[in-house]
Amino acid sequence: MKLADLYMYLRADIHKIEQEMATAVSNAHPVLKDATLQLLQAGGKRIRPVFVLLAGKFGDYDIHRLKHIGVSLELIHMASLVHDDVIDDAELRRGQETVKAKYDNRVAMYTGDYIFAKAVESATFFDDERIHQAMSKVIHEMVIGEIEQIRYQYVWDQDIKTYFRRIKRKTALLIAGSCELGAMAVGASREEQRALYRYGYQVGMAYQIIDDVLDFTGTEEELGKPAGGDLLQGNVTLPALYAMHHNPEIKAKIELAFQGELPNQEELTELLQVIKESGGIEYSKALSERYLKKAYETLDTLPQIPAVKSLSEIATYIGTRHF
Amino acid sequence: MRRMMNENERYDYVHDRFLKLSDHRYLHDHITRVSIDEDKTYLLINSIQDDNLREEEEVKRVTAGLLVDAALTTHQYVPLHNENEQREKEKQLVVLAGDWYSSLYYSELSKLGDVGLVRVFSRSIQKTNNAKIRLHERGWKDLEELEELITTMEATLIQNVGIYFNQRSIADFAGHFLTYRRLLDLIEHAEQDKEPFGSARLSPLFAIEPTDRDRENYIQEMISNLEVVAANVKDRLLASYQDNEAALSTQLKKRFMELVNK
């Protein structure tokens, strides 16, 4: 089953959010418009708007209010992707040329800044300063997470806490924020807002851990990019951290492979293999499961409305996804 | 409302707050920290005056404006294309430093609860980037449009802030002042021919290497165009100064004199 099948009944409202995103850039310069619409049309899971809408079911559900939060969060995500492609020097995203590849780095910077400003403007639909504080916290933490990622690139002896702190900031807090902000926008109780935030955080952590696992276990076809990209870019993720921590020989092998020039494909494949055989994948999956278990427990504390079932199914999907 | 801080004390407060808020040890250990634009600081100090706000709330808004400016300026320093692997980390951190400043301005304004100003800032950033793309893509039809784009790129934020706080004289003066200042800077760097195409100092106007004619002719033609525009803008700046002199502070007058006597 595809993720989108789990929230098929939200399709019309997600479409409204997508339309609003397209409208948001309709007056932009053609290059900005083209760059943004290309990203928009490339699709994606729209996981953040989905969480916003589902959280919105805990209050006085109103798509005309929720869409501003959904648009804002998805545009923030999109702006970060455009800038990430400059950071990673990426040529392709979801099979399409990136903005920086199609134009240049500077156009990508202007595009990302433009989209980010649109995202913030969309949030100004709300006068409630708590919404802006929550939104700005998400953005701020996300940037710190990105900086941390660069800081710890190719640092093979970093501890596991650094990894968790990084994925929390980079991924989990944006999902937590999506849930919290969706609930805030429709006047759900503070208790529900907090519980949804916790659920989002737990699911977000599990999501990123599985994403990191898939970079070792997925095929190029499934991932849309060659496996092992994280390791090659020096992003030290949980399976590799586990392997290096439990087997100093693996650590020495990795360090040797990255001395001087980057490893070639054959060397990379061999490194991926030893990490997979180290138990790092199983360990990471178990940790992801632990986060998901907490997410299910958090859902139990919420009013048992139909949205809980969807949130639970999404959590299950995240734990078992293959791409 | 009686103000406790004079203009220079406000500048010092804003300067310190900017440094404190934007402090990030790792970032600033690895890349050059963007310097605070003094002219823009004084323009913002004079734009953000509202009897309904406490003095501290005003200067915090000034700081937020400078954070936006720092974000936009920092991103000018991202190289057009990737140069070499040694500078890869620097490029990555310059991208993130700009994003860091952006996140800080929003955070600062959300703590102040000024949603109206958030809207003004975000619309100004959109307009600025739209103009940057047009300049980058050489999307102007005549010199009038070129001037308009440079004004938009340089002054939109401060003009819009001035209008929002009903300081229209400052907004008018800021437009001409910042455009003229930028034109002089562009001409100076292009004339020296030290700056490579795509450099931050010349971007986004000299961003694309000309392929259809030789470089020297292109630069000369562009300098001549900029000089014509600069002469026109200087006339308008002088007129704006005369019209708005009563509203300008000591520092703004001093900076105006320095600029027009360059």
Side-chain angles (χ1 to χ4, degrees), chain A residues 64-292:
Chain A
H64 300 294
R65 289 176 68 77
L66 288 164
K67 71 177 179 186
H68 295 284
I69 299 287
V71 166
S72 192
L73 289 166
E74 197 62 3
L75 287 178
I76 287 166
H77 171 64
M78 212 184 253
S80 78
L81 294 183
V82 178
H83 285 181
D84 276 356
D85 290 335
V86 177
I87 291 170
D88 298 339
D89 198 15
E91 300 288 318
L92 292 173
R93 177 171 291 279
R94 292 182 192 134
Q96 295 200 352
E97 245 187 329
T98 58
V99 180
K100 81 115 221 158
K102 194 169 178 182
Y103 301 97
D104 55 51
N105 286 343
R106 204 75 59 68
V107 170
M109 297 320 299
Y110 301 151
T111 305
D113 285 347
Y114 181 90
I115 299 174
F116 175 75
K118 267 286 170 203
V120 173
E121 191 191 356
S122 178
T124 62
F125 172 83
F126 297 94
D127 286 328
D128 181 353
E129 59 194 70
R130 284 181 54 246
I131 286 188
H132 294 282
Q133 283 162 11
M135 186 79 80
S136 65
K137 191 180 165 203
V138 163
I139 297 166
H140 189 62
E141 292 290 333
M142 208 167 89
V143 178
I144 297 176
E146 296 265 3
I147 297 171
E148 294 284 289
Q149 182 157 311
I150 303 295
R151 181 180 187 165
Y152 289 99
Q153 238 174 358
Y154 301 109
V155 177
W156 306 112
D157 53 3
Q158 61 186 272
D159 65 30
I160 206 163
K161 276 187 196 160
T162 310
Y163 167 79
F164 283 120
R165 204 172 50 225
R166 193 166 66 236
I167 66 166
K168 170 185 161 187
R169 287 175 156 150
K170 238 191 76 185
T171 307
L173 291 184
L174 185 56
I175 295 179
S178 305
C179 294
E180 184 189 33
L181 283 157
M184 270 184 182
V186 294
S189 72
R190 288 284 174 101
E191 216 169 73
E192 286 160 351
Q193 288 172 25
R194 276 195 289 269
L196 284 159
Y197 179 89
R198 275 202 310 280
Y199 160 84
Y201 163 74
Q202 288 145 356
V203 163
M205 293 295 281
Y207 182 88
Q208 188 58 54
I209 292 171
I210 294 298
D211 215 51
D212 294 341
V213 165
L214 291 175
D215 195 60
F216 287 90
T217 60
T219 62
E220 184 164 354
E221 200 188 347
E222 287 167 342
L223 299 171
K225 57 183 180 180
D230 284 340
L231 193 66
L232 201 59
Q233 285 183 322
N235 294 331
V236 192
T237 58
L238 194 53
L241 272 174
Y242 177 92
M244 289 190 289
H245 188 75
H246 285 82
N247 188 341
E249 278 178 28
I250 296 179
K251 186 167 179 255
K253 205 169 193 164
I254 292 175
E255 282 174 337
L256 186 68
F258 281 89
Q259 261 176 13
E261 285 193 11
L262 291 176
N264 60 32
Q265 190 52 51
E266 199 181 319
E267 290 165 327
L268 182 67
T269 308
E270 197 191 328
L271 290 178
L272 295 182
Q273 194 54 36
V274 290
I275 291 169
K276 279 195 268 189
E277 286 166 3
S278 73
I281 302 296
E282 292 73 16
Y283 174 77
S284 303
K285 283 185 175 172
L287 267 181
S288 164
E289 278 301 319
R290 233 198 286 177
Y291 276 110
L292 291 175

Side-chain angles (χ1 to χ4, degrees), chain B residues 159-195:
Chain B
Q159 285 180 314
N160 287 349
V161 168
I163 292 164
Y164 180 71
F165 286 101
N166 215 15
Q167 303 291 337
R168 287 175 185 271
S169 301
I170 307 291
D172 181 66
F173 174 76
H176 303 301
F177 179 90
L178 292 173
T179 308
Y180 186 58
R181 188 186 75 155
R182 179 72 157 136
L183 284 163
L184 292 189
D185 191 57
L186 280 168
I187 293 167
E188 187 190 333
H189 284 92
E191 273 175 346
Q192 285 173 352
D193 201 20
K194 283 181 191 159
E195 296 284 332

Side-chain angles (χ1 to χ4, degrees), chain A residues 29 32 83 86-87 89 104-107 109-110 113-114 117-118 120-121 124 132-133 136 140 146 151, chain B residues 75-76 78-80 82 91-92 99-100 103 106 110 118-119 122-123 126 130 133-134 136 198 203:
Chain A
H29 183 276
L32 278 170
H83 285 181
V86 177
I87 291 170
D89 198 15
D104 55 51
N105 286 343
R106 204 75 59 68
V107 170
M109 297 320 299
Y110 301 151
D113 285 347
Y114 181 90
K118 267 286 170 203
V120 173
E121 191 191 356
T124 62
H132 294 282
Q133 283 162 11
S136 65
H140 189 62
E146 296 265 3
R151 181 180 187 165
Chain B
H75 281 165
Q76 300 270 112
V78 175
L80 261 188
N82 293 351
K91 176 202 75 180
Q92 294 172 326
D99 293 347
W100 164 249
S103 77
Y106 186 30
S110 67
V118 171
R119 200 174 294 120
S122 53
R123 286 180 183 165
Q126 289 165 46
N130 230 354
I133 294 264
R134 274 184 73 188
H136 187 85
S203 75

